[in-house]
Amino acid sequence: GEPLYVVQLIALAEGEAEILAVKVPGQPSQAIRQGHPVKVTGLVAQPWSMNDRAGVAFRAARIEPVVAQAKAS
């Protein structure tokens, strides 16, 4: 299999923000830039617990930059 990389994404909703660490196979695109929107394909959230700790682990098949559509004139 491919090595796993972690990409930190910021999820914004209802005036709140949360940083999500998302694991993806293979090196993420070099075109991904901080603060720019991305498209996440195949996102899976897996709840976990260990002793008195719990959380959610995220993985995705692919993360790629969102390319702005040129406006038709």
Side-chain angles (χ1 to χ4, degrees):
E2 293 184 80
L4 293 177
Y5 290 80
V6 176
V7 177
Q8 290 187 327
L9 303 177
I10 298 175
L12 302 171
E14 299 180 18
E16 295 185 14
E18 185 172 346
I19 297 175
L20 307 176
V22 181
K23 290 183 181 177
V24 291
Q27 185 159 352
S29 168
Q30 295 297 318
I32 294 173
R33 297 287 179 240
Q34 184 174 343
H36 291 229
V38 294
K39 177 181 176 184
V40 181
T41 304
L43 181 65
V44 176
Q46 181 68 47
W48 61 270
S49 64
M50 184 181 299
N51 298 323
D52 61 344
R53 297 179 56 201
V56 179
F58 296 95
R59 70 176 190 271
R62 185 170 60 241
I63 299 173
E64 53 197 349
V66 171
V67 178
Q69 298 280 336
K71 291 187 177 183
S73 36

